[in-house]
Amino acid sequence: MNDSSPALVEVQHLSKVFRDFWRRPKVQAVDDVSFSIRRGEVFGLLGPNGSGKSTTIKMLLGLLFPTRGTIQVLGRSPRDVQNKRRIGYLPEESYLYSYLTSWETLDFYGRLFDLGPAERRARIDQLLDMIGLRHARNRVVGEFSKGMARRIGLAQALINDPDFIILDEPTSGLDPIGCRQIKDLILTLARRGKTILMTSHLLADVEDVCDRVAILYNGRVQAQGTIDELLQEAERFRLTLPHGVTRAQAEHLAAEAARLTGIPPELDHPRRDLEQFFLQVVEKARAAASSSSGVGSDQGVATYLRPAETTASNPSTPPTAPPPEDVDKALASLVRRDPPE
Amino acid sequence: MNRILAIALLSLRSAVRSRMVAVLMCLLVGIMALLPWVIKGDGTISGTIHLLLSYSLGLATTVIAMALLWAGSFAVSAEIQDKTIQTLATKPVSRFHLWAGKWLGLNLLGFLLLAFCGIVTYALLQAQLRSDRWTPDDLATVQRQLTAHAEFRPDQPDFEAQARHELVATPDRTRPDDRSPAERLQQRRQTLIAEFYSVRPLNRNQWTFSPLRGQTEDRPLILRYRFTSSVIGQDAVSGRWLIGTAEKPDQFTHTITHTPRVWNEITVPRHPDWSAKPIVVTYLNEDPGGATLLLDMDQGLTLLAPADPFAVNYLRVLLVKFAQLSFLTALGITAGCLFSLPVAALVSMYILLLVQLGSYIQGMATNEFSLTSAAGIERTTIDLALIAIYKGLAFLLSPLVPGDELTRLANGLLVTWWSALRHLTLQGLLMALLLGAFASYALNRRELALPQS
């Protein structure tokens, strides 16, 4: 993604007022929100509960109508039915039919996109592998845990290989492994040129995957920009010392810095990321025991969601899962960016 | 179409897996198998057939109609309530696709349930016909009932024009009359109809039927009629029927002592002249008690001609019923598109109530004089408003009120292919799709993800 990419979503002065039965204004959920999302960008809508994230998304999908302002999604009105062929949506809760099995659920949504039977079957199998629920293909969704239902919800959002993916709280209800997988998937899809809009109140999730974010509070955009623009403290500097430097050497450097600047710097040990640490522990445990939960081991990203050249050799063979630490490298080698239209 | 079929299959799965179908099937089997035992019939095979067709199958179709109306009202409103619509509506599915898919799925369910009831009732009927309870005479009699007969009614003069002509030509100035011209016209018209269907003592009356063109059958005709006697308490009236052409009115004669207030049937051998010339039916009132014979004005005198086997007629009646179910399903789904779940359910119940009261409302609208306290008194504005409301309601309810097809079937009367196709296309398809267009327009204007209070 670069700054010159055309805007896929344009939101101008968007407002939404919820009214009561007598049409009296009850709540102003969104207030004069403007932003645009460029093709191939991962855009995050951040904000606490009730800040207007989901309402904004529902207006982008035509599920709610703006009180004021304009929305263009893929160059058309959000209520344009044909436009929805190119959109994938994961709602904040996985609103699925509890009486359908996971296979039937994906088959149903596949039919809505006019996918042929063979293609539908292939995509469903790949998606079930990807979300680690192949073993639960004949279980009804009503019996699933929240995390499992979330995974099926994600799969249904991707069944049509959409250009624009909207993920409302995608990691909600997932364990850290699931969260990591979702984030890896988002990065993979972004590298393939997909445009992604996600909401979250888990800031670490957003920081890991988003190119740009808008922070909503009380229905208004409070801040907007790239992660670096928003988080970088341009007037402060951090010095990271390589392995092998002793404490005495570090203290000496700190003393030198204090002498030069007149202000003593802070000296402490860097900490590992808790998520990375957790994943390493679980990976070690997984190697010891074959399975541990309702969710089976995932088989990486669905073949049809990957670039064509990586699947052409043997599309029927499911990909093997790379070790977590190599995920980024493996994905980077698999994906390509779709050329901009 | 693929999307509509996908949603239809989903609706069907929802109904089956929610155990609605299983419960309904049990209920329907209970109705069809137990009702003939619970309701005491008249002990004849004819009465038993009436019970099976009019009561058991009639009640079963009513139960299916209620279930489909109910399920229809839940079909979309429950999706909105459970928020599954928020996933569904973000797929390339138009609101009409959504409505049509739900309608098709529930229609398929209605079709399967109706077919189930139809097959069970037919099997029970065949079992009755094979029962040892009935004598060969009983079975011979019931053959008439189990053959579909085409109905022919006497040609009627234009009573309205005749009444108007008489009032203008010979105005009754012998007594003061405070009735409005419209009421005088209406009363004169009723008198003419009554005179047309009555035969005074030691008098005769004649009715002309159009030639039975296109009738290839050579089986005998049946003269079917019901009457009341002017002598209260009289239980037998004597007379003579003559049937023929205008030139030869007595090609068939039959002297009879018949019973008031029940259906009387006379078998009439078919004459070759009748397929080309009008048939003239004459009744000579030879009753020694001096009773006037008053034939039922609505359907008091008909000539029946055998037309089709029972099974074909039965199939057509089931098609008519299916068309009615299809319309009710469409109505239920439309209610669910317009209102939230509890309101849609209430609206469905209200529709059911109106369907049950439909015949009464139609009667009130047709016989508007009963709305005024007494004939001859000027109607008030309230009366006129009531009449307008009843007429409007009757018009709206006309597709909902169940017809008398099951009674016709049980009486051995023909329900034509034309009637079945008309119901299927107009009621089952066209009017249902009109409702669908309205529902999808309303859904397009409805926000599907409003926070629920």
Side-chain angles (χ1 to χ4, degrees), chain A residues 63-185:
Chain A
L63 293 170
L64 291 173
F65 308 149
T67 308
R68 280 183 301 278
T70 58
I71 304 173
Q72 288 266 301
V73 178
L74 296 155
R76 296 185 188 182
S77 157
R79 291 164 74 179
D80 186 299
V81 173
Q82 289 312 312
N83 222 15
K84 291 176 179 171
R85 286 179 173 280
R86 299 170 62 193
I87 297 175
Y89 171 52
L90 171 69
E92 55 191 320
E93 300 278 333
S94 301
Y95 303 128
L96 302 168
Y97 300 100
S98 57
Y99 48 86
L100 294 183
T101 65
S102 44
W103 201 93
E104 287 168 346
T105 300
L106 297 180
D107 183 62
F108 169 66
Y109 289 113
R111 282 172 188 265
L112 298 183
F113 286 101
D114 272 340
L115 299 178
E119 189 177 9
R120 220 164 50 228
R121 270 195 298 274
R123 285 191 182 190
I124 292 169
D125 286 341
Q126 289 171 34
L127 283 169
L128 286 174
D129 281 338
M130 184 184 89
I131 59 174
L133 287 179
R134 176 180 267 274
H135 65 287
R137 68 205 304 268
N138 293 322
R139 275 178 66 190
V140 291
V141 172
E143 297 173 357
F144 280 6
S145 68
K146 191 179 176 190
M148 290 165 85
R150 202 83 191 121
R151 286 162 185 266
I152 290 291
L154 180 72
Q156 66 77 25
L158 298 173
I159 188 94
N160 57 323
D161 191 13
D163 293 330
F164 178 39
I165 303 158
I166 299 177
L167 306 171
D168 198 355
E169 306 279 0
T171 54
S172 155
L174 294 179
D175 57 24
I177 302 169
C179 291
R180 185 68 253 169
Q181 287 167 346
I182 296 284
K183 286 190 275 187
D184 289 342
L185 176 69

Side-chain angles (χ1 to χ4, degrees), chain A residues 228-238:
Chain A
D228 284 346
E229 282 168 4
L230 295 176
L231 301 186
Q232 198 175 63
E233 294 179 69
E235 65 280 11
R236 293 182 71 197
F237 298 92
R238 176 187 286 177

